[in-house]
């Protein structure tokens, strides 16, 4: 285990539902990330938080809304998603947002939008 | 923006053989990281290269960073079934952004 825990592991939701993904790390890291992993595509960076402040929003649609209440927890709130949003959503953390720091990934939430 | 390309997308290897996967960037990188994702798992950090021409080894894995810091390679010798998975490179830029390649998915024939 990497020390980064994501819940739930699997989620099926309708296009009108509202759900939230949760990520938790107790590694003492200051930076947390949300990535989207779709089949046959590179990992797509969605959001970056450094010291609880959002430092990156990679042109993500507003139906995805991140929240970082403290440096150990990161949420991704989902509403009115589309079927093409079905993917593996990975949370990661690193000591800080700078260079030369490895990312520790959680096991991901497999999301299916029906 | 920065793009990182990986080839090949798929690598089918006979157990015991060697293979190499390549990572190429359209821009000069500050550093390159390699990750491995087992089937059904999550990416796990393998190594980071920072210096031009740097070579690092981890048992049967050899990682190289190009002289121009625009490409990298991962060479695996004597492939084993435990090497199955997808190998990602991730290039770092001066604005702290890490761009992942699409990965090379490795399968092994026993």
């Amino acid at each position: 285990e990497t020390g980064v825990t994501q819940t739930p592991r699997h989620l099926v939701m309708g296009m009108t539902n509202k759900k939230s993904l949760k990520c938790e790390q107790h590694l003492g890291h200051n930076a947390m990330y949300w990535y989207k992993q779709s089949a046959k595509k590179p990992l797509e960076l969605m959001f970056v938080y450094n010291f609880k402040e959002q430092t990156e929003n990679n042109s993500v649609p507003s139906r995805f809304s991140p929240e970082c209440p403290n440096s150990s927890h990161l949420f991704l709130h989902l509403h009115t998603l589309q079927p093409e949003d079905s993917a593996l959503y990975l949370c990661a953390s690193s000591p800080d947002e700078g260079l030369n720091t490895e990312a520790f990934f959680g096991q991901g939430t497999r999301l299916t939008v029906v | 923006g920065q793009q990182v390309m990986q080839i090949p997308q798929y690598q089918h290897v006979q157990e015991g053989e060697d293979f190499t996967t390549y990572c190429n960037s359209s821009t000069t990188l500050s550093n390159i990281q390699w990750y491995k994702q087992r089937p059904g798992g999550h990416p796990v950090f393998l190594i980071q290269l920072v210096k031009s021409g740097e070579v690092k080894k981890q048992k049967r894995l050899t990682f190289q960073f190009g002289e121009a810091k625009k490409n990298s390679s991962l060479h695996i010798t004597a492939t084993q079934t435990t090497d199955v998975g997808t190998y990602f490179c991730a290039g770092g830029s001066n604005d702290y952004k890490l761009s992942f390649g699409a990965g090379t998915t490795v399968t092994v024939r026993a």
Side-chain angles (χ1 to χ4, degrees), chain A residues 2 37 99-101 103 106, chain B residues 33 35 37 42 45 48 88 93:
Chain A
T2 63
Q37 186 174 40
L99 293 175
N100 305 329
T101 58
Chain B
Q33 297 179 356
Y35 292 79
Q37 185 173 19
H42 58 277
F45 176 82
Q48 176 169 266
F88 295 96
S93 59

Side-chain angles (χ1 to χ4, degrees), chain A residues 1-2 9 35 37 40-45 56 58 88 90 97-108, chain B residues 4 9-10 30-31 33 35 37 40-45 48 50 88 92-98 100-102:
Chain A
E1 296 302 321
T2 63
R9 296 289 306 277
Y35 284 90
Q37 186 174 40
K40 301 179 182 180
K41 294 175 71 174
L43 275 167
E44 300 173 54
L45 178 64
E56 182 83 22
N58 216 17
L88 180 67
L90 290 160
E97 195 187 356
L99 293 175
N100 305 329
T101 58
E102 67 179 90
F104 292 77
F105 284 86
Q107 293 183 318
Chain B
V4 175
Q9 186 176 357
Y10 298 98
S30 298
N31 63 314
Q33 297 179 356
Y35 292 79
Q37 185 173 19
H42 58 277
V44 175
F45 176 82
Q48 176 169 266
V50 179
F88 295 96
S93 59
N94 286 330
D95 57 358
Y96 302 148
K97 293 182 180 178
L98 203 60
F100 279 83

Side-chain angles (χ1 to χ4, degrees), chain B residues 2-105:
Chain B
Q2 175 180 289
Q3 288 190 330
V4 175
M5 308 296 291
Q6 274 189 263
I7 53 171
Q9 186 176 357
Y10 298 98
Q11 183 81 54
H12 307 289
V13 189
Q14 180 70 43
E15 188 173 19
E17 290 185 342
D18 303 351
F19 76 90
T20 304
T21 177
Y22 300 90
C23 181
N24 298 297
S25 170
S26 56
T27 59
T28 302
L29 301 170
S30 298
N31 63 314
I32 191 128
Q33 297 179 356
W34 285 89
Y35 292 79
K36 177 183 179 181
Q37 185 173 19
R38 295 182 185 275
H42 58 277
V44 175
F45 176 82
L46 293 176
I47 209 160
Q48 176 169 266
L49 304 170
V50 179
K51 298 177 183 177
S52 170
E54 188 172 12
V55 178
K56 288 187 176 181
K57 293 189 176 183
Q58 287 181 351
K59 298 181 180 178
R60 294 178 295 103
L61 277 61
T62 302
F63 303 84
Q64 187 169 8
F65 202 8
E67 293 290 340
K69 300 183 74 173
K70 296 179 73 172
N71 55 71
S72 180
S73 64
L74 161 59
H75 181 76
I76 299 182
T77 59
T79 304
Q80 299 177 359
T81 55
T82 53
D83 295 324
V84 165
T86 301
Y87 294 83
F88 295 96
C89 65
S93 59
N94 286 330
D95 57 358
Y96 302 148
K97 293 182 180 178
L98 203 60
S99 296
F100 279 83
T104 294
T105 299

Side-chain angles (χ1 to χ4, degrees), chain A:
Chain A
E1 296 302 321
T2 63
V4 180
T5 304
Q6 288 187 244
T7 54
R9 296 289 306 277
H10 301 272
L11 178 62
V12 179
M13 60 185 289
M15 289 188 284
T16 58
N17 291 159
K18 291 184 179 180
K19 296 287 183 181
S20 294
L21 309 184
K22 179 182 177 181
C23 177
E24 184 174 356
Q25 60 90 8
H26 295 287
L27 300 170
H29 290 170
N30 295 312
M32 296 187 77
Y33 312 79
W34 279 116
Y35 284 90
K36 176 183 178 182
Q37 186 174 40
S38 305
K40 301 179 182 180
K41 294 175 71 174
L43 275 167
E44 300 173 54
L45 178 64
M46 299 175 72
F47 301 105
V48 181
Y49 278 82
N50 201 28
F51 291 95
K52 302 185 297 177
E53 297 296 320
Q54 188 179 124
T55 58
E56 182 83 22
N57 178 339
N58 216 17
S59 302
V60 180
S62 59
R63 57 185 183 270
F64 295 91
S65 175
E67 179 190 2
C68 189
N70 55 63
S71 57
S72 298
H73 294 85
L74 185 65
F75 295 89
L76 187 62
H77 304 299
L78 316 171
H79 65 97
T80 59
L81 295 192
Q82 305 298 312
E84 59 264 29
D85 296 322
S86 299
L88 180 67
Y89 287 84
L90 290 160
C91 173
S93 71
S94 64
D96 58 51
E97 195 187 356
L99 293 175
N100 305 329
T101 58
E102 67 179 90
F104 292 77
F105 284 86
Q107 293 183 318
T109 296
R110 175 69 61 185
L111 174 67
T112 303
V113 181
V114 297

